[in-house]
Amino acid sequence: MHLVQTQMCDALSLGLPEVARALICTGPESQMRAFDAASGAFTAYGPDDRTKVLTEVGTFLTSLEAEQPFWPGDGLLPPLCQSV
């Protein structure tokens, strides 16, 4: 958060609805239920719903990066999956 506030890297809000945010924050095999007060019913969400949200986010980010590459900041460690 400090990097974003001091403009030392790019960041953006995805503006996701609460259910989509919760699905992204849970593990890939997690299940969750949301209560709809208007209908008085619960809706169950699972891995397939999470995959759909992640696909939508990926599509959105790909379209943004086509306009201008993201700048992650200077002096950061390489991702764990890359050799140094």
Side-chain angles (χ1 to χ4, degrees), residues 8-81:
M8 296 176 67
C9 76
D10 288 338
L12 62 109
S13 172
L14 297 174
L16 296 173
E18 290 180 18
V19 170
R21 280 195 320 256
L23 286 167
I24 288 176
C25 292
T26 62
E29 299 301 320
S30 296
Q31 302 280 329
M32 63 171 261
R33 295 184 331 152
F35 180 71
D36 181 357
S39 69
F42 284 95
T43 303
Y45 298 93
D48 291 339
D49 300 297
R50 184 176 190 267
T51 298
K52 289 176 188 172
V53 172
L54 291 173
T55 300
E56 290 173 12
V57 169
T59 301
F60 175 69
L61 293 177
T62 299
S63 68
L64 287 179
E65 191 173 31
E67 295 174 17
Q68 176 179 340
F70 286 112
W71 173 58
D74 293 326
L76 301 176
L77 296 173
L80 293 175
C81 60

